[in-house]
Amino acid sequence: MSMYWFLCGQKFSIHLDCNQPLYDCPICGLICTNYHILQEHVDLHLEEGSFGQGMDRVQCSRDLELAQQLQQEEDRKRRSEESRQEMEEFQKLQRQYGLNNSGGYKQQQLRNMEIEVNRGRMHPSEFHRRKADMMESLAVGIDDEKTKTSGIMEALYRYYQNAATDVRRVWLSTVVDHFHSSFGDKGWGCGYRNFQMLLSSLLQNDAYDDCLKGMSVPCIPKIQSMIEDAWKEGFDPQGASQLNNRLQGTKAWIGACEVYTLLTSLRIKCRIIDFHKSTGPLGTHPRLFEWILSYYSSEREGSPKVVCISKPPIYLQYQGHSQTVVGIEERKNRTLCLLVFDPGCPSREMQKLLKQDTEASSVKQLRKFVGNLKHKQYQIVAVEGVLSSEEKIARRQASQVFTAEKIP
């Protein structure tokens, strides 16, 4: 038997004994005449394979290490971006809620008046006069009344007596003065201005003489100081902590909780009620309107068209703003409509209500129908009388874990 091999292009032949056993390599098919040669040959295959696998393992290990490094770098960049976004959001909230150490009422008032002078909209002499008035107001802690409009409730009474034919009945709160935002608190002072409105009503109500004796409507920095004093007494420690136990010298917003805290510290009995979710179609809050109607009305049938009640206005809070509810209409179609004073409405607009013949268009700016109130949540603070000293202590203790009544 002959086998032929080619090496470097030359043909070689090997003659094999036909009786000699032959051994095929199971890997490459090479024929060996000796078992030991075959075994060595196969071992060479296995060593080559092992080396290749080892190289593959090394490469896989390197690939895995690189992938882990890339993932770690991506995770680091993601965490860094998240931290940056969180800080930006935090700083945005600080600016929004006046907690960014940019100064308070006084600093903003002076800054904005300087801008008016630079733009030619205010004479320098007017700047100095207003600055002197502001410093005097801050020194005594009493509002300068430059944003105040009085006599609106009386004008509304006359209007409803003589006009508003589409209104079946209207309930009006006790006398309330309107206060609007000024250079010093524009953009953040609505809660303070609504407290001034509510307090202006209580100060004109004999039922509250005992707990408000000698008081006048305070300026905004004084209100901030009064809330801080209430915190020091032990009211609402959680709320105090959220505002760093400090309001003076800041543009920090206040809401229903702070108004409730301040009123309670003055021994004024009030309730804070949370309309925490919609109770009507399209995100509306009919239960809020029904509650306010119940608060203001006594006997609905047989009473006059215009009912002037002895109850003060209601503080109304929602996300980003607050207003003061001074009355409620029941329309001839049985729908309800709130009457609200908005601190964002300037005096020149409110004073239109004081004309001898109040126009419907002027009253329109006060009206809020059910379809107008579609925020997710509303809170109200409703005054209900005077607290005894013992009741004040009990409410201070209850405010350690502050909870509002929820409807529904």
Side-chain angles (χ1 to χ4, degrees):
M1 176 181 178
S2 297
M3 292 189 64
Y4 296 93
W5 296 80
F6 289 86
L7 181 61
C8 299
Q10 299 297 316
K11 180 179 178 183
F12 297 89
S13 64
I14 301 175
H15 297 280
L16 300 175
D17 186 348
C18 292
N19 297 321
Q20 186 178 6
L22 300 176
Y23 303 94
D24 292 345
C25 173
I27 296 174
C28 68
L30 177 69
I31 298 174
C32 298
T33 59
N34 186 289
Y35 177 76
H36 295 292
I37 295 174
L38 174 64
Q39 191 173 19
E40 290 178 2
H41 174 77
V42 172
D43 287 343
L44 286 173
H45 277 302
L46 295 176
E47 286 176 7
E48 289 176 358
S50 176
F51 177 76
Q53 290 174 3
M55 290 299 292
D56 290 344
R57 283 197 295 271
V58 169
Q59 187 62 44
C60 287
S61 177
R62 289 175 179 170
D63 291 346
L64 180 60
E65 184 179 347
L66 178 60
Q68 289 173 338
Q69 289 175 351
L70 292 173
Q71 184 64 48
Q72 289 171 357
E73 179 65 16
E74 190 169 322
D75 290 344
R76 186 191 63 77
K77 288 181 178 179
R78 178 178 52 78
R79 287 193 297 269
S80 176
E81 179 63 18
E82 287 176 353
S83 297
R84 186 189 65 78
Q85 289 178 355
E86 286 176 3
M87 181 56 69
E88 285 184 358
E89 188 65 25
F90 179 66
Q91 291 172 345
K92 179 181 176 182
L93 288 171
Q94 282 188 316
R95 290 192 299 272
Q96 180 180 346
Y97 293 103
L99 300 172
N100 60 343
N101 297 317
S102 62
Y105 179 88
K106 175 183 172 182
Q107 290 83 354
Q108 180 171 313
Q109 177 91 352
L110 292 174
R111 240 184 344 257
N112 285 336
M113 288 198 302
E114 287 170 358
I115 291 171
E116 291 297 295
V117 171
N118 292 335
R119 292 177 177 174
R121 294 199 291 249
M122 181 185 294
H123 193 274
S125 61
E126 174 74 2
F127 171 87
H128 290 293
R129 185 185 67 78
R130 288 199 184 191
K131 180 180 178 181
D133 291 344
M134 178 192 70
M135 298 306 290
E136 181 181 354
S137 171
L138 297 181
V140 297
I142 298 175
D143 187 79
D144 60 14
E145 300 188 347
K146 294 188 183 301
T147 72
K148 170 184 168 182
T149 303
S150 300
I152 301 174
M153 299 307 293
E154 296 88 340
L156 287 175
Y157 177 81
R158 293 191 298 269
Y159 169 77
Y160 283 108
Q161 287 280 38
N162 302 315
T165 55
D166 53 348
V167 175
R168 181 169 177 263
R169 191 165 292 120
V170 61
W171 290 265
L172 300 175
S173 75
T174 51
V175 175
V176 190
D177 296 327
H178 177 267
F179 291 81
H180 72 81
S181 298
S182 67
F183 282 135
D185 62 288
K186 186 176 182 180
W188 58 274
C190 58
Y192 301 96
R193 294 301 183 180
N194 284 302
F195 174 77
Q196 289 179 326
M197 294 188 216
L198 179 51
L199 188 62
S200 75
S201 180
L202 298 177
L203 288 170
Q204 298 177 74
N205 190 330
D206 294 342
Y208 298 93
D209 283 349
D210 183 48
C211 54
L212 300 176
K213 191 175 296 182
M215 276 191 69
S216 299
V217 174
C219 61
I220 287 179
K222 179 62 176 178
I223 297 172
Q224 293 177 318
S225 172
M226 292 166 69
I227 296 172
E228 288 180 1
D229 289 342
W231 288 341
K232 291 172 185 174
E233 276 191 67
F235 286 96
D236 189 19
Q238 291 181 345
S241 176
Q242 289 172 0
L243 292 168
N244 298 322
N245 296 283
R246 176 172 168 260
L247 290 174
Q248 294 185 81
T250 75
K251 295 193 281 283
W253 295 21
I254 62 169
C257 293
E258 289 72 39
V259 170
Y260 173 89
T261 291
L262 180 49
L263 290 171
T264 306
S265 73
L266 295 171
R267 287 202 303 113
I268 295 171
K269 184 179 182 180
C270 54
R271 298 166 66 185
I272 181 167
I273 301 171
D274 184 6
F275 296 86
H276 59 102
K277 64 179 181 178
S278 168
T279 52
L282 303 175
T284 55
H285 292 260
R287 290 283 296 275
L288 168 63
F289 285 72
E290 292 164 8
W291 194 97
I292 292 174
L293 177 63
S294 176
Y295 174 82
Y296 277 137
S297 65
S298 51
E299 295 180 5
R300 298 173 62 181
E301 299 299 330
S303 58
K305 176 184 177 181
V306 187
V307 184
C308 295
I309 60 173
S310 60
K311 291 184 177 180
I314 293 171
Y315 179 96
L316 174 66
Q317 178 76 47
Y318 53 93
Q319 178 63 38
H321 196 43
S322 58
Q323 297 172 323
T324 298
V325 181
V326 300
I328 186 168
E329 295 176 345
E330 183 183 51
R331 317 282 288 187
K332 287 189 174 178
N333 62 4
R334 297 291 180 171
T335 60
L336 299 176
C337 178
L338 301 182
L339 300 173
V340 303
F341 283 1
D342 190 330
C345 185
S347 293
R348 64 179 179 274
E349 293 298 323
M350 298 301 291
Q351 287 168 2
K352 292 178 181 179
L353 293 161
L354 304 179
K355 293 179 180 179
Q356 188 65 34
D357 297 318
T358 302
E359 297 178 2
S361 58
S362 299
V363 178
K364 184 179 180 180
Q365 67 182 331
L366 307 182
R367 288 186 168 122
K368 297 293 179 186
F369 292 94
V370 173
N372 298 133
L373 271 60
K374 291 185 176 182
H375 284 270
K376 182 179 179 180
Q377 180 182 22
Y378 290 87
Q379 289 183 328
I380 62 172
V381 180
V383 172
E384 296 183 322
V386 176
L387 294 169
S388 66
S389 297
E390 293 76 15
E391 288 173 323
K392 175 184 171 180
I393 293 171
R395 294 207 173 195
R396 181 179 63 198
Q397 186 60 36
S399 76
Q400 302 305 299
V401 181
F402 201 98
T403 57
E405 300 176 48
K406 289 186 178 292
I407 295 178

